[in-house]
mmCIF file of all heavy atoms in Angstrom:
data_model
loop_
_atom_site.group_PDB
_atom_site.id
_atom_site.type_symbol
_atom_site.label_atom_id
_atom_site.label_comp_id
_atom_site.label_asym_id
_atom_site.label_seq_id
_atom_site.Cartn_x
_atom_site.Cartn_y
_atom_site.Cartn_z
ATOM 1 N N LYS M 151 -139.532 15.093 0.943
ATOM 2 C CA LYS M 151 -140.451 15.171 2.070
ATOM 3 C C LYS M 151 -141.434 16.308 1.866
ATOM 4 O O LYS M 151 -141.075 17.348 1.323
ATOM 5 C CB LYS M 151 -139.674 15.415 3.357
ATOM 6 C CG LYS M 151 -140.568 15.520 4.585
ATOM 7 C CD LYS M 151 -139.773 15.886 5.812
ATOM 8 C CE LYS M 151 -140.682 16.172 6.987
ATOM 9 N NZ LYS M 151 -141.216 14.959 7.605
ATOM 10 N N ASN M 152 -142.652 16.059 2.270
ATOM 11 C CA ASN M 152 -143.629 17.125 2.404
ATOM 12 C C ASN M 152 -143.931 17.244 3.875
ATOM 13 O O ASN M 152 -144.263 16.256 4.516
ATOM 14 C CB ASN M 152 -144.925 16.779 1.683
ATOM 15 C CG ASN M 152 -144.751 16.777 0.195
ATOM 16 O OD1 ASN M 152 -144.001 17.571 -0.357
ATOM 17 N ND2 ASN M 152 -145.435 15.871 -0.456
ATOM 18 N N SER M 153 -143.802 18.448 4.398
ATOM 19 C CA SER M 153 -144.131 18.659 5.794
ATOM 20 C C SER M 153 -145.374 19.531 5.848
ATOM 21 O O SER M 153 -145.402 20.595 5.244
ATOM 22 C CB SER M 153 -142.942 19.335 6.474
ATOM 23 O OG SER M 153 -143.258 19.670 7.783
ATOM 24 N N LEU M 154 -146.391 19.059 6.537
ATOM 25 C CA LEU M 154 -147.683 19.740 6.659
ATOM 26 C C LEU M 154 -148.375 19.899 5.315
ATOM 27 O O LEU M 154 -149.234 20.734 5.141
ATOM 28 C CB LEU M 154 -147.522 21.143 7.266
ATOM 29 C CG LEU M 154 -146.880 21.252 8.630
ATOM 30 C CD1 LEU M 154 -146.738 22.718 9.016
ATOM 31 C CD2 LEU M 154 -147.718 20.535 9.654
ATOM 32 N N PHE M 155 -147.977 19.104 4.357
ATOM 33 C CA PHE M 155 -148.502 19.288 3.009
ATOM 34 C C PHE M 155 -148.257 17.974 2.290
ATOM 35 O O PHE M 155 -147.135 17.533 2.205
ATOM 36 C CB PHE M 155 -147.728 20.415 2.329
ATOM 37 C CG PHE M 155 -148.064 20.575 0.879
ATOM 38 C CD1 PHE M 155 -149.074 21.439 0.502
ATOM 39 C CD2 PHE M 155 -147.388 19.863 -0.090
ATOM 40 C CE1 PHE M 155 -149.399 21.580 -0.826
ATOM 41 C CE2 PHE M 155 -147.711 19.999 -1.424
ATOM 42 C CZ PHE M 155 -148.717 20.864 -1.793
ATOM 43 N N ASP M 156 -149.297 17.333 1.847
ATOM 44 C CA ASP M 156 -149.097 16.026 1.235
ATOM 45 C C ASP M 156 -150.098 15.828 0.112
ATOM 46 O O ASP M 156 -151.290 15.809 0.337
ATOM 47 C CB ASP M 156 -149.269 14.934 2.291
ATOM 48 C CG ASP M 156 -148.591 13.656 1.864
ATOM 49 O OD1 ASP M 156 -148.496 13.432 0.641
ATOM 50 O OD2 ASP M 156 -148.155 12.904 2.725
ATOM 51 N N SER M 157 -149.571 15.710 -1.104
ATOM 52 C CA SER M 157 -150.484 15.639 -2.233
ATOM 53 C C SER M 157 -150.904 14.202 -2.536
ATOM 54 O O SER M 157 -151.955 13.965 -3.094
ATOM 55 C CB SER M 157 -149.838 16.259 -3.458
ATOM 56 O OG SER M 157 -148.636 15.578 -3.740
ATOM 57 N N LEU M 158 -150.081 13.233 -2.175
ATOM 58 C CA LEU M 158 -150.378 11.869 -2.604
ATOM 59 C C LEU M 158 -151.066 11.045 -1.515
ATOM 60 O O LEU M 158 -152.024 10.346 -1.761
ATOM 61 C CB LEU M 158 -149.090 11.149 -3.030
ATOM 62 C CG LEU M 158 -148.564 11.561 -4.395
ATOM 63 C CD1 LEU M 158 -147.244 10.904 -4.659
ATOM 64 C CD2 LEU M 158 -149.547 11.217 -5.498
ATOM 65 N N ARG M 159 -150.511 11.113 -0.331
ATOM 66 C CA ARG M 159 -151.117 10.335 0.738
ATOM 67 C C ARG M 159 -150.812 11.043 2.042
ATOM 68 O O ARG M 159 -149.707 11.494 2.265
ATOM 69 C CB ARG M 159 -150.518 8.927 0.749
ATOM 70 C CG ARG M 159 -151.080 8.138 1.879
ATOM 71 C CD ARG M 159 -150.610 6.713 1.895
ATOM 72 N NE ARG M 159 -151.163 6.112 3.084
ATOM 73 C CZ ARG M 159 -151.751 4.944 3.116
ATOM 74 N NH1 ARG M 159 -151.851 4.223 2.032
ATOM 75 N NH2 ARG M 159 -152.229 4.459 4.243
ATOM 76 N N THR M 160 -151.770 11.127 2.896
ATOM 77 C CA THR M 160 -151.551 11.906 4.099
ATOM 78 C C THR M 160 -151.054 11.030 5.231
ATOM 79 O O THR M 160 -151.759 10.160 5.717
ATOM 80 C CB THR M 160 -152.844 12.623 4.509
ATOM 81 O OG1 THR M 160 -153.265 13.389 3.393
ATOM 82 C CG2 THR M 160 -152.632 13.531 5.687
ATOM 83 N N PHE M 161 -149.813 11.264 5.617
ATOM 84 C CA PHE M 161 -149.297 10.699 6.862
ATOM 85 C C PHE M 161 -149.085 11.872 7.789
ATOM 86 O O PHE M 161 -148.323 12.773 7.466
ATOM 87 C CB PHE M 161 -147.937 10.031 6.643
ATOM 88 C CG PHE M 161 -148.013 8.754 5.873
ATOM 89 C CD1 PHE M 161 -147.427 8.657 4.625
ATOM 90 C CD2 PHE M 161 -148.654 7.653 6.402
ATOM 91 C CE1 PHE M 161 -147.487 7.477 3.909
ATOM 92 C CE2 PHE M 161 -148.717 6.471 5.684
ATOM 93 C CZ PHE M 161 -148.138 6.378 4.435
ATOM 94 N N SER M 162 -149.729 11.854 8.901
ATOM 95 C CA SER M 162 -149.433 12.948 9.819
ATOM 96 C C SER M 162 -148.191 12.607 10.645
ATOM 97 O O SER M 162 -147.630 13.459 11.301
ATOM 98 C CB SER M 162 -150.633 13.266 10.698
ATOM 99 O OG SER M 162 -151.192 12.089 11.209
ATOM 100 N N HIS M 163 -147.751 11.370 10.566
ATOM 101 C CA HIS M 163 -146.499 10.959 11.209
ATOM 102 C C HIS M 163 -145.321 11.521 10.399
ATOM 103 O O HIS M 163 -145.411 11.605 9.181
ATOM 104 C CB HIS M 163 -146.442 9.427 11.228
ATOM 105 C CG HIS M 163 -145.487 8.895 12.221
ATOM 106 N ND1 HIS M 163 -145.879 8.393 13.442
ATOM 107 C CD2 HIS M 163 -144.139 8.798 12.193
ATOM 108 C CE1 HIS M 163 -144.812 8.010 14.119
ATOM 109 N NE2 HIS M 163 -143.737 8.243 13.376
ATOM 110 N N PRO M 164 -144.212 11.907 11.065
ATOM 111 C CA PRO M 164 -143.076 12.445 10.286
ATOM 112 C C PRO M 164 -142.392 11.366 9.437
ATOM 113 O O PRO M 164 -141.817 10.415 9.965
ATOM 114 C CB PRO M 164 -142.124 12.986 11.355
ATOM 115 C CG PRO M 164 -142.544 12.377 12.639
ATOM 116 C CD PRO M 164 -143.983 11.994 12.517
ATOM 117 N N VAL M 165 -142.488 11.523 8.140
ATOM 118 C CA VAL M 165 -141.880 10.564 7.205
ATOM 119 C C VAL M 165 -141.244 11.310 6.034
ATOM 120 O O VAL M 165 -141.637 12.424 5.708
ATOM 121 C CB VAL M 165 -142.924 9.578 6.600
ATOM 122 C CG1 VAL M 165 -143.490 8.661 7.659
ATOM 123 C CG2 VAL M 165 -144.032 10.311 5.865
ATOM 124 N N SER M 166 -140.268 10.666 5.426
ATOM 125 C CA SER M 166 -139.787 11.087 4.111
ATOM 126 C C SER M 166 -140.164 9.990 3.133
ATOM 127 O O SER M 166 -140.484 8.873 3.538
ATOM 128 C CB SER M 166 -138.267 11.246 4.098
ATOM 129 O OG SER M 166 -137.844 12.169 5.049
ATOM 130 N N SER M 167 -140.103 10.336 1.880
ATOM 131 C CA SER M 167 -140.469 9.359 0.863
ATOM 132 C C SER M 167 -139.246 9.057 -0.002
ATOM 133 O O SER M 167 -138.471 9.954 -0.328
ATOM 134 C CB SER M 167 -141.613 9.951 0.038
ATOM 135 O OG SER M 167 -141.468 9.626 -1.307
#
Side-chain angles (χ1 to χ4, degrees):
K151 180 185 172 77
N152 291 325
S153 174
L154 302 177
F155 173 91
D156 201 331
S157 58
L158 284 175
R159 177 176 176 134
T160 305
F161 289 115
S162 46
H163 199 101
V165 293
S166 302
S167 142

